[in-house]
Amino acid sequence: METLHFTRPARAAEIQPALVGYVGSGDLEVMIEPLQGSQTEIHIQTSSPGSEIRWRQVIEQIEARISLPAMRMDIHDFAATPGVIRLRIEQAIELASAVEASA
Amino acid sequence: MNCRAHDLIWIDRGQLRAPVPDTELPDWVVNGSGPVVVRRAPVDSGWIPVGVRGESKAQRQPAFAPLKAISKHLDPYTLTATKPWLAHCERNRHPVLIALCKLAPLLNTLPLRWGVTGSLGYEFATGERQLRPESDLDLVIDATAPICREQAAELIGLFGTASCRVDIQLDTPMGAIALAEWAGSSEQVLQKTDTGPRLTKTPWAGEKDEGVKPC
């Protein structure tokens, strides 16, 4: 397993903890915890070596579609494709932000 | 011939073509031997999408195989029906085989078709050593007929705990979902389809009939 760490600017937002995904080949698990301040910390454990550039690209693609809330995001990746990664992260953010939508 | 993801096909390696036109496949693919594995991607007019396994885990190469040149075809259900684990020398030692020996009799009591995929399926089909100490047990259940979420939860309960990680996929006509996710509380589940992954509440229905209940 390889560990990657990204810090990205984010907006302060009220979110709730969220856990989505699946521990299995070609999939990943995404956990979100609220974080004070205006940044997002992303911690990734991945079974795909040398994938830092690909992860950076996926995160940039998500930022282009969604304004990231301040959060800590922990990812356990089991060689998921970029398409699966994007869907899972967006699913987790949607679930974490559900409290915001209903407030 | 109807090829589905996880099926093994035997073909002259020289007949394979690279996934991107005008590019070459690596030498280890062309010079290697053994069957290739059907992967989930659109079929391209007579060309089946396949994955080629190399010696190391990092060696995985997507390719296309011409339907006409396939010499043999084996699906995981046919492979599993002969109970090949009974003849495996590590059936009492390797966690994956111990898990399978426990699960197989339970699965065989159910009115479902199931099969072994992944490294162990490849090993059963070829006799080549593929299992690693850290291998998972990969299984597929034919879910042509819908399996509702309550049934999925019952299956998970029936299987209990295992000696290794067990990844059971439900193969629906629209693509594959993880049994454990379908049995869980998440409203939407991830489905791997021939045209890419999607999140869905209705894995047996297409995008256009999202209102259809699974059962």
Side-chain angles (χ1 to χ4, degrees):
Chain A
M1 289 300 254
E2 195 168 281
T3 304
L4 302 169
H5 182 216
F6 297 92
T7 302
R8 310 293 301 176
R11 63 187 168 82
E14 191 192 341
I15 59 165
Q16 61 188 355
L19 169 61
V20 304
Y22 176 65
V23 176
S25 300
D27 212 323
L28 68 161
E29 197 176 50
V30 183
M31 275 173 286
I32 290 178
E33 292 284 336
L35 190 68
Q36 293 294 319
S38 56
Q39 63 183 32
T40 279
E41 286 180 14
I42 305 174
H43 300 259
I44 301 163
Q45 279 195 309
T46 175
S47 62
S48 304
S51 56
E52 182 166 357
I53 292 170
R54 227 174 45 204
W55 276 100
R56 191 178 297 280
Q57 286 169 344
V58 168
I59 292 166
E60 283 168 3
Q61 283 168 358
I62 291 167
E63 284 177 313
R65 291 159 55 105
I66 298 175
S67 154
L68 295 182
M71 62 184 162
R72 178 189 163 115
M73 182 183 280
D74 281 278
I75 294 173
H76 297 132
D77 168 46
F78 304 91
T81 61
V84 170
I85 293 169
R86 271 200 307 277
L87 275 181
R88 285 299 194 194
I89 292 179
E90 289 177 7
Q91 184 189 16
I93 294 174
E94 194 178 314
L95 187 62
S97 306
V99 61
E100 202 182 23
S102 62
Chain B
M1 189 187 304
N2 186 16
C3 289
R4 294 175 75 170
H6 304 299
D7 291 0
L8 298 174
I9 56 182
W10 280 256
I11 188 166
D12 171 8
R13 292 286 183 95
Q15 300 281 326
L16 297 175
R17 81 165 159 77
V20 179
D22 301 325
T23 58
E24 300 276 320
L25 287 166
D27 286 346
W28 68 262
V29 170
V30 182
N31 299 330
S33 61
V36 296
V37 189
V38 177
R39 65 190 164 86
R40 223 175 278 285
V43 173
D44 184 1
S45 57
W47 291 81
I48 307 287
V50 296
V52 188
R53 296 174 75 98
E55 281 185 8
S56 79
K57 197 174 178 185
Q59 281 184 327
R60 292 283 188 278
Q61 173 67 43
F64 282 92
L67 193 53
K68 284 181 187 162
I70 294 173
S71 59
K72 185 181 163 191
H73 169 250
L74 180 63
D75 66 65
Y77 311 111
T78 307
L79 170 68
T80 303
T82 62
K83 301 184 180 175
W85 54 91
L86 295 177
H88 199 290
C89 62
E90 285 204 72
R91 68 184 180 283
N92 296 322
R93 284 198 297 273
H94 196 292
V96 167
L97 284 153
I98 293 170
L100 178 59
C101 288
K102 183 185 158 203
L103 281 179
L106 296 171
L107 283 157
N108 283 335
T109 63
L110 303 169
L112 294 168
R113 288 207 308 158
W114 66 280
V116 180
T117 60
S119 52
L120 184 59
Y122 195 92
E123 185 164 324
F124 284 154
T126 61
E128 279 175 40
R129 179 72 188 190
Q130 296 284 321
L131 277 184
R132 296 181 175 82
E134 71 280 10
S135 290
D136 301 340
L137 176 59
D138 296 309
L139 302 178
V140 60
I141 289 176
D142 180 4
T144 304
I147 293 173
C148 70
R149 300 193 80 147
E150 291 75 14
Q151 285 173 309
E154 281 171 21
L155 288 176
I156 293 285
L158 174 69
F159 300 153
T161 54
S163 49
C164 66
R165 212 170 66 196
V166 182
D167 182 1
I168 304 178
Q169 297 284 316
L170 298 178
D171 193 21
T172 85
M174 305 301 298
I177 58 172
L179 173 67
E181 188 173 27
W182 187 234
S185 58
S186 174
E187 202 175 333
Q188 289 197 307
V189 297
L190 188 118
Q191 186 167 44
K192 292 170 182 166
T193 78
D194 283 349
T195 52
R198 65 167 183 157
L199 287 169
T200 180
K201 296 175 192 171
T202 53
W204 279 267
E207 296 289 354
K208 288 178 185 154
D209 16 65
E210 285 283 309
V212 178
K213 291 198 72 137
C215 56

